[in-house]
Amino acid sequence: MRQLRELLIGEMISRGHRVLVVAPEFSGADVRALTQLGVEHAAIAPEASGLKLFADWKSIGALKQLLADWSPHVVVAAGGQTMVYGALAAKSVGIGRIVLIVDGLPEHRFTGALAADEMPAWRYGQALRAADAAVFHNRDDLALLKKLGLVSGALSVAVVPGSGVDLERHALLPLPPLGQGLVFLMIANLDWRRGVEEYCEAAAALRQRAPSSRCLLAVLPDEGAKAIDMADLERRADVEYVGLAEGHTELLKEAHVFVYPGCAEGMPQPLLQALAVGRPILTTNVAGCRETVDERVNGCLVPPRDAEALAEAMESFLRRPDLIPAMARASRAKAERFATVAAVRRSMMDVLQLG
């Protein structure tokens, strides 16, 4: 929600378009921000009872009624479950243009059991067939859905790196002194798919091996499954919980290395921000995350769901802290090769075909 608001919704409003945002739920901060922009909003929670197939169609039915009443010219459906619901509802009421933002495919890439908020591959196929265009945040997700035969040649497709990199807002930051112990930082929301548990486990292992190192954790306003208890995080002795990440820049100033062992995301925005300010990146070798790292040039990749491998990678920075300045410069250079926020916004507006 936050990324869409900053990247797309504000631009639509500035061009004189009327916007309705529909989501399963809204935080108080979301409502205030949308109201300030002059955006209407409506909450439609997924049906939680009965057989999943029937529950899906009940949720789609509620969306159909809302869209029929509001009569939009364009529907943008983002995410996994909500993207599928939105596309099918929009198609059934004859919306003129349907654009999908494909993000957060299942971590197991459709080869394992689905979580409650995950959709099977055939549902993605339904949504893609209903759409006029689709935006992907990384090429791996597009390649996977093409391999599964879910992306037709007639579908207009664009690949953009998340919300892009804001190089003016996130300037290159000097590194903290290297001689007083390294500081690792993770910024993520309280969703188990972001790798917060693995980071905490790795921090505990690192504390035994290098007591002078510090592992900071800042939490974004939660936008996913609330599977991690914040109170539990505050009790972790090996991680310094620094609260909500209100301003990333101040947090990144303190860190030598940015850690993000996440899964099932199109292109994590915290990684792009860390690249922009010039911090070595330690992340997972999964779609989206791996695009931010040139191995051993500006950081390193580890397998997902592997706290021991994460701890070993963190320790590798402790063994060669002299490499960190060069990696920091390489991260900034890599950020400069990514599409800027302005370029991504232009691409998105072109896909929407809005003047």
Side-chain angles (χ1 to χ4, degrees), residues 210-343:
S212 63
S213 64
R214 298 170 61 202
C215 295
L216 311 183
L217 173 63
V219 172
L220 294 169
D222 190 37
E223 297 175 353
K226 296 180 180 179
I228 300 173
D229 185 355
M230 189 177 293
D232 180 56
L233 291 180
E234 293 171 337
R235 289 191 292 269
R236 303 267 184 145
D238 302 300
V239 172
E240 296 180 39
Y241 173 62
V242 295
L244 289 175
E246 299 290 348
H248 294 196
T249 300
E250 292 304 313
L251 293 168
L252 287 162
K253 281 181 180 178
E254 297 184 46
H256 297 94
V257 179
F258 188 77
V259 184
Y260 196 91
C263 303
E265 288 184 86
M267 180 64 68
Q269 197 65 18
L271 282 176
L272 296 183
Q273 293 170 354
L275 279 180
V277 303
R279 291 298 179 265
I281 302 296
L282 173 51
T283 189
T284 41
N285 190 14
V286 299
C289 292
R290 60 171 152 252
E291 291 188 19
T292 64
V293 170
D294 297 323
E295 185 71 28
R296 293 297 166 184
V297 175
N298 77 308
C300 56
L301 299 170
V302 295
R305 303 273 170 240
D306 191 334
E308 180 58 31
L310 183 63
E312 290 175 2
M314 293 166 73
E315 190 176 6
S316 72
F317 286 97
L318 297 173
R319 290 194 294 268
R320 292 297 308 271
D322 56 303
L323 298 179
I324 289 177
M327 285 186 167
R329 293 191 296 271
S331 279
R332 175 66 184 193
K334 190 169 182 66
E336 291 170 354
R337 296 194 295 273
F338 271 80
T340 64
V341 171

Side-chain angles (χ1 to χ4, degrees), residues 30-292:
D30 286 332
V31 172
R32 288 190 295 273
L34 292 173
T35 302
Q36 187 174 10
L37 283 172
V39 175
E40 300 173 57
H41 69 278
I44 295 183
E47 183 67 39
S49 60
L51 294 173
K52 180 167 176 52
L53 182 62
F54 295 141
D56 287 346
W57 282 111
K58 285 182 180 179
S59 298
I60 292 168
L63 264 176
K64 284 168 60 178
Q65 184 60 56
L66 180 64
L67 293 177
D69 292 343
W70 216 73
S71 298
H73 296 92
V74 180
V75 165
V76 181
Q81 188 178 55
T82 51
M83 180 194 78
V84 173
Y85 288 176
L88 296 181
K91 185 70 172 180
S92 68
V93 297
I95 300 301
R97 186 162 182 80
I98 303 170
V99 177
L100 306 186
I101 300 178
V102 184
D103 193 11
L105 300 185
E107 179 184 343
H108 51 66
R109 322 305 279 173
F110 305 113
T111 59
L114 294 167
D117 63 343
E118 291 177 342
M119 304 298 279
W122 66 270
R123 280 294 204 198
Y124 280 87
Q126 281 187 314
L128 290 163
R129 287 192 297 274
D132 299 291
V135 176
F136 290 81
H137 289 322
N138 63 71
R139 298 189 181 280
D140 285 334
D141 286 349
L142 174 58
L144 172 64
L145 295 186
K146 280 186 173 180
K147 181 180 178 182
L148 294 173
L150 303 180
V151 181
S152 74
L155 183 69
S156 175
V157 172
V159 180
V160 301
S163 295
V165 181
D166 192 335
L167 296 173
E168 295 181 3
R169 184 177 173 186
H170 301 287
L172 180 65
L173 296 175
L175 286 164
L178 290 167
Q180 301 172 6
L182 295 190
V183 178
F184 299 89
L185 170 66
M186 179 177 182
I187 300 174
N189 60 30
L190 291 179
D191 187 320
W192 62 270
R193 291 165 291 192
R194 305 300 173 251
V196 176
E197 290 285 359
E198 288 81 5
Y199 180 63
C200 291
E201 291 177 26
L206 199 67
R207 178 62 63 90
Q208 299 298 319
R209 305 170 191 175
S212 63
S213 64
R214 298 170 61 202
C215 295
L216 311 183
L217 173 63
V219 172
L220 294 169
D222 190 37
E223 297 175 353
K226 296 180 180 179
I228 300 173
D229 185 355
M230 189 177 293
D232 180 56
L233 291 180
E234 293 171 337
R235 289 191 292 269
R236 303 267 184 145
D238 302 300
V239 172
E240 296 180 39
Y241 173 62
V242 295
L244 289 175
E246 299 290 348
H248 294 196
T249 300
E250 292 304 313
L251 293 168
L252 287 162
K253 281 181 180 178
E254 297 184 46
H256 297 94
V257 179
F258 188 77
V259 184
Y260 196 91
C263 303
E265 288 184 86
M267 180 64 68
Q269 197 65 18
L271 282 176
L272 296 183
Q273 293 170 354
L275 279 180
V277 303
R279 291 298 179 265
I281 302 296
L282 173 51
T283 189
T284 41
N285 190 14
V286 299
C289 292
R290 60 171 152 252
E291 291 188 19
T292 64

